[in-house]
Each structure stands twice: as C-alpha cells, then as structure tokens.
C-alpha cells in the first residue's frame, strides 16, 4: 500500500496490478531461473511506468490468435522496477521480462514472456 499522498502513477500501478496479475506473475517467476528474469517478485518495487501507442496488423494486437485483419492501435504500458518489467496492452496483462533500459525505449511485446491470467 502506498502513502496517503498518491500520484497518478501510483493510481495507475495499483489499478493494473490486480490480484490475478500478481498471483500469475509470482507463480511464473518462482519457476524461472535468474538468468533472464529475476527469481522472486516484490510488487512494491514496481514504481515506474512507461506507456506508448503501438499499431498492430490485427485486432488481436500483441496477443495473437484470431483477430480481424484491421490495423489497430494498442496502448502498451510497462510497469517496472530495476529488476523486472510487466507489460499491459490496453490495460490487459500481457507478460513479464527482466529489466532492460533499451526495451523501455522501444517496447516490443515479443521480448516479454507471455503469462495468461
């Protein structure tokens, strides 16, 4: 929980980190080796946000699968700490990656481990 004085960023993080997202992420990270994604998960360390619009060639966006063949824009939001990054597409959880500054510059969903929740 955050202090009494919250910011828009705090509210955004709190809204996206639902119990299902936290549980799914913790389970997957507990099974991974620390080579690519850190083992363990501390949601309170996720204090930064970067968000951009990105076009996809299907209405399924980064999720793949069945989607209409229409150009569609998705809002990609990354909540991150110095160790881990969580990706959301239009406020829907997509996946996780180890922190890499260059991935924040050009967000690529293919670089994130997909975690269905």
């Amino acid at each position: 929980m955050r202090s009494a004085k919250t910011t828009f960023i705090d509210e955004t993080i709190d809204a996206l980190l639902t119990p299902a997202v936290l549980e799914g992420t913790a389970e997957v990270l507990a099974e991974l080796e620390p080579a690519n994604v850190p083992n363990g998960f501390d949601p309170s360390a996720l204090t930064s946000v970067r968000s951009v619009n990105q076009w996809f060639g299907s209405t399924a966006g980064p999720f793949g699968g069945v989607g209409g063949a229409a150009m569609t824009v998705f809002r990609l939001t990354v909540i991150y700490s110095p160790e881990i990054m969580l990706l959301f597409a239009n406020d829907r959880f997509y996946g996780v990656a180890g922190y890499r500054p260059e991935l924040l510059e050009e967000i690529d969903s293919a670089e994130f481990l997909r975690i269905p929740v």
Side-chain angles (χ1 to χ4, degrees), residues 42-65:
D42 179 12
S44 66
L46 298 165
T47 59
S48 301
V49 176
R50 170 142 165 71
S51 192
V52 298
N53 287 329
Q54 188 172 30
W55 286 94
F56 289 88
S58 163
T59 57
F63 297 99

Side-chain angles (χ1 to χ4, degrees), residues 56 58-67 74-76 87-95 109-110 114-117:
F56 289 88
S58 163
T59 57
F63 297 99
V66 178
F74 276 75
R75 185 80 173 163
L76 300 182
L87 177 63
F88 296 81
N90 287 353
D91 298 341
R92 181 176 161 203
F93 183 59
Y94 181 84
S109 59
R114 176 81 175 100
I115 303 175
V117 291

Side-chain angles (χ1 to χ4, degrees), residues 4 6 13 25-27 34-35 37 43 45 51 58 69 73 75 86 94 96-97 100-102 105 111-112 115 117:
T6 61
I13 291 171
T25 301
E27 288 174 5
V37 179
S51 192
S58 163
V73 68
R75 185 80 173 163
L86 300 169
Y94 181 84
V96 64
R100 297 193 335 247
E102 67 276 8
E105 292 300 315
E111 296 292 320
F112 287 78
I115 303 175
V117 291

Side-chain angles (χ1 to χ4, degrees), residues 10-85:
D10 295 332
E11 292 170 3
T12 300
I13 291 171
D14 289 343
L16 292 174
L17 294 181
T18 65
V21 168
L22 294 174
E23 182 179 319
T25 301
E27 288 174 5
V28 169
L29 292 179
E31 297 175 8
L32 293 177
E33 295 295 322
N36 186 18
V37 179
N39 193 353
F41 178 54
D42 179 12
S44 66
L46 298 165
T47 59
S48 301
V49 176
R50 170 142 165 71
S51 192
V52 298
N53 287 329
Q54 188 172 30
W55 286 94
F56 289 88
S58 163
T59 57
F63 297 99
V66 178
M71 293 295 293
T72 306
V73 68
F74 276 75
R75 185 80 173 163
L76 300 182
T77 303
V78 177
I79 298 176
Y80 62 98
S81 73
E83 292 185 340
I84 194 162
M85 301 165 60

